[in-house]
Amino acid sequence: QVQLVESGGGSVQVGGSLRLSCVASGYAHTRACMGWFRQAPGKEREGVAAIYTGDGTAQYSDSVKGRFTISQDNAKNTVYLEMHSLKPEDAAMYYCAATTVTIPYSDYCSAHIVPDFGYTGPGTQVTVSS
C-alpha cells in the first residue's frame, strides 16, 4: 500500500523559509512524477512543483518559480520542497502527490497537473504572517 507522509509545515513570517518533506512508502515506480500542490480555504487546488524521479527534471508554477525548489533523495524515498521569500498568498495546506503508474519521460511532469497525479498525502499546513 502506497503512503505519502508530509512534514515540515509551520508558521513563518513574510520573507521567511520552510522546507517540506514527503516520505513515500510502498511506492515502487522509479520513473514517475511526484510533486506538491496546495489549497487555501475557499480556493482551488494549485499545483506548484513537479519532479520527474527518473532524472530529477523539475517544473514549477509561475507563482513560485524562483522562490521554491523541489528535489528528491531516492535513497530516503523522500521529495522535498524548499520555500523561500514566503508571501501571505503562499499560506495553504500543502500536499505531496505521486503518479500511480510508471512515466516514461519527464514532459508529463507538469506542476499544474500535480493535483491529479493519483496518490496524495494528508497534507501539512503552512501559515505566513506579516
Side-chain angles (χ1 to χ4, degrees):
Q1 184 179 354
V2 175
Q3 280 193 320
L4 304 176
V5 180
E6 304 94 337
S7 62
S11 181
V12 295
Q13 292 190 323
V14 170
S17 300
L18 280 174
R19 187 177 82 156
L20 307 183
S21 300
C22 171
V23 179
S25 60
Y27 192 66
H29 303 288
T30 56
R31 291 182 299 146
C33 300
M34 296 188 71
W36 294 87
F37 69 93
R38 64 189 182 189
Q39 187 167 27
K43 294 191 176 181
E44 293 188 355
R45 298 177 303 173
E46 178 193 11
V48 297
I51 189 166
Y52 181 56
T53 62
D55 63 9
T57 300
Q59 202 266 334
Y60 302 91
S61 67
D62 288 343
S63 61
V64 306
K65 195 174 296 181
R67 300 187 298 120
F68 290 13
T69 301
I70 188 170
S71 62
Q72 61 181 355
D73 184 333
N74 291 335
K76 296 182 179 179
N77 295 323
T78 301
V79 172
Y80 302 98
L81 186 68
E82 295 256 7
M83 306 186 296
H84 300 285
S85 303
L86 284 162
K87 304 175 182 180
E89 52 264 42
D90 294 318
M93 185 71 82
Y94 281 73
Y95 299 89
C96 176
T99 52
T100 60
V101 296
T102 294
I103 303 297
Y105 48 85
S106 62
D107 290 353
Y108 180 82
C109 301
S110 295
H112 74 280
I113 63 171
V114 171
D116 300 321
F117 276 179
Y119 293 125
T120 303
T124 186
Q125 182 71 45
V126 172
T127 303
V128 184
S129 57
S130 56

